[in-house]
Amino acid sequence: MSRRVKRPLSKSGDRGDRPKGARPFRNRHEGDRPPMHRAGAKPPLFAQPRREKSAPPVAAEPAKAAAELPLPTKVQTVTVTADENNMRVDRFLEARFPGLSFSHIQRIVRKGELRVNGKRADSKDRLEEGQSVRIPPLKLDAPKVVGQLSEAATKTLAALKEMTLFEDADVLVLNKPAGLAVQGGSGTTRHVDQMLEVMRDAKGQKPRLVHRIDKETSGCLLVAKTRFAATQLTGAFRSRSARKIYWALVAGVPKPKQGRISTYLAKEEGEDDTIMRIAAHGDEGASHAVTYYAVVETAAQKLGWVSLKPVTGRTHQLRAHMAHIGHAIVGDPKYFNRENWELPGGLQNRLHLLARRIVIPHPRGGVIDVTAPLPPHMQQSWNLLGLDTSRFDPIENAPEE
């Protein structure tokens, strides 16, 4: 279930935590009733699902100029900030210029038009604070002629609608299925970014990815439908005012049952694959990563259902962190390293990781609060293990940093 609550945002120090005494989050996808409210308080405004005919009113449109700021038309040089340290070149451009398409970013990098400290850069290179980045003139992709959708495009649009958890004029939240990549890569022909091509508007603007989740991870994926929304939502991620909660099934039961994992992570390139390794402060390419975890329920002390709240957003952060504390996520082909451990009968050997919930300020006021259901393979595991999805989720009270 999704909702957009028209309420004032908390102070920056609270990072969006609920007021003291508020009812804890429960899985409302499985039919729970909405939370109760104090006497005399106005109930929150719930956003209608996409298939409803009516939609709740939104705040007044901002000035046209704010929503349609043109991209730079001249060469410019910018300096990498502390918040952008260790950010990939392509993601740096996406964060600075949300109106750019993925294909355009790859094109200017491939042609050598973007320079870092005067040298050519690859889209996967990581930037360092203080570096100088030369950015060429930028432009949006040429608008496509709006006409009859092909049969393939119609099917793609239907698939996106089926995935939709929340949608309004600015924002789209998808329930990305496990196995579907978010962006293209080597050997990847179908991915969310490509699917969004069928949603271009009359001006040729295509919805833009605001963040990413791993191919085998299912759940909430946030998409901006306008350049204005892309700028605001990207800013919310950079300022860490977005809150993400994940559910996972792990080997064993972490002790203590609630804790904080703080390490440095660095990318390690292998012959066939890339993984994130635990690194030391000061190691080349190492970035600080912080995750809060809480055990929700256990199954015979052999498996634990954990709720995870990442403070930072490093590649494979949750997967690497759970493996680091000796409780790798079930079905993880990269990080599951438990010796002499057998998968219980009936459980599928697939990654048991769900982007369960996202809470983020709406670009035009209020808060977007969206929850994704368990994917089929995880639901099967929960059923077999007797885990109750309506259990209280203790991660709600984990600190925000």
Side-chain angles (χ1 to χ4, degrees), residues 3 18 23-24 28 33-37 44 46:
R3 57 178 177 163
R18 292 168 181 259
R23 175 172 171 164
R28 299 184 193 102
R33 290 180 297 176
M36 301 295 291
H37 299 277
F46 288 88

Side-chain angles (χ1 to χ4, degrees), residues 226-240:
T226 62
R227 289 176 60 194
F228 168 72
T231 301
Q232 299 300 311
L233 295 172
T234 301
F237 271 95
R238 290 178 63 186
S239 64
R240 295 182 184 171

Side-chain angles (χ1 to χ4, degrees), residues 93-107:
L93 287 171
E94 287 177 339
R96 288 262 184 165
F97 308 105
L100 282 180
S101 69
F102 177 72
S103 59
H104 187 51
I105 290 173
Q106 297 301 313
R107 186 163 57 249

Side-chain angles (χ1 to χ4, degrees), residues 35-65:
M36 301 295 291
H37 299 277
R38 294 189 301 274
K42 292 183 179 180
L45 178 64
F46 288 88
Q48 300 296 323
R50 178 180 173 84
R51 48 187 172 273
E52 298 283 345
K53 291 183 179 179
S54 60
V58 297
E61 293 283 333
K64 188 73 174 177

Side-chain angles (χ1 to χ4, degrees), residues 137-364:
L138 304 174
K139 62 181 179 180
L140 293 172
D141 287 350
K144 291 187 176 180
V145 177
V146 179
Q148 187 82 15
L149 289 176
S150 66
E151 182 179 353
T154 301
K155 289 182 179 179
T156 297
L157 188 59
L160 287 169
K161 288 182 178 180
E162 184 67 23
M163 292 182 211
T164 299
L165 295 171
F166 171 90
E167 183 178 19
D168 64 13
D170 294 286
V171 181
L172 176 67
V173 183
L174 299 174
N175 179 23
K176 188 195 79 66
L180 177 63
V182 172
Q183 280 188 317
S186 178
T188 302
T189 56
R190 181 174 172 81
H191 49 86
V192 175
D193 195 42
Q194 171 220 26
M195 295 174 71
L196 292 172
E197 288 285 346
V198 302
M199 292 185 66
R200 284 188 183 272
D201 61 19
K203 295 181 180 179
Q205 291 194 60
K206 167 188 152 186
R208 303 158 185 87
L209 298 167
V210 178
H211 68 126
R212 291 152 197 80
I213 55 180
D214 295 342
K215 179 178 178 179
E216 296 305 325
T217 302
S218 64
C220 296
L221 180 67
L222 188 65
V223 178
K225 295 176 65 178
T226 62
R227 289 176 60 194
F228 168 72
T231 301
Q232 299 300 311
L233 295 172
T234 301
F237 271 95
R238 290 178 63 186
S239 64
R240 295 182 184 171
S241 56
R243 182 155 49 116
K244 295 181 289 183
I245 293 174
Y246 289 75
W247 281 2
L249 188 68
V250 303
V253 179
K255 293 181 181 181
K257 288 194 172 182
Q258 295 190 39
R260 177 179 183 269
I261 307 169
S262 175
T263 71
Y264 284 84
L265 294 175
K267 184 172 292 187
E268 188 172 273
E269 302 284 353
E271 291 184 6
D272 303 318
D273 211 348
T274 300
I275 65 168
M276 300 300 290
R277 62 174 177 84
I278 303 300
H281 179 45
D283 284 359
E284 183 178 358
S287 298
H288 190 213
V290 177
T291 301
Y292 285 95
Y293 74 87
V295 176
V296 184
E297 201 168 351
T298 65
Q301 297 302 306
K302 184 171 183 178
L303 295 165
W305 162 18
V306 296
S307 187
L308 303 160
K309 183 187 287 187
V311 176
T312 51
R314 312 305 178 198
T315 301
H316 298 173
Q317 176 177 317
L318 302 181
R319 298 163 63 181
H321 269 174
M322 295 312 295
H324 172 62
I325 65 171
H327 298 283
I329 298 174
V330 171
D332 191 334
K334 288 178 181 281
Y335 299 92
F336 198 95
N337 52 11
R338 295 275 295 243
E339 294 184 3
N340 302 319
W341 194 90
E342 294 184 4
L343 188 71
L347 272 64
Q348 297 183 46
N349 191 20
R350 301 180 63 187
L351 183 66
H352 282 58
L353 180 61
L354 167 70
R356 171 65 175 176
R357 185 179 179 204
I358 188 165
V359 183
I360 190 170
H362 192 282
R364 301 187 192 278

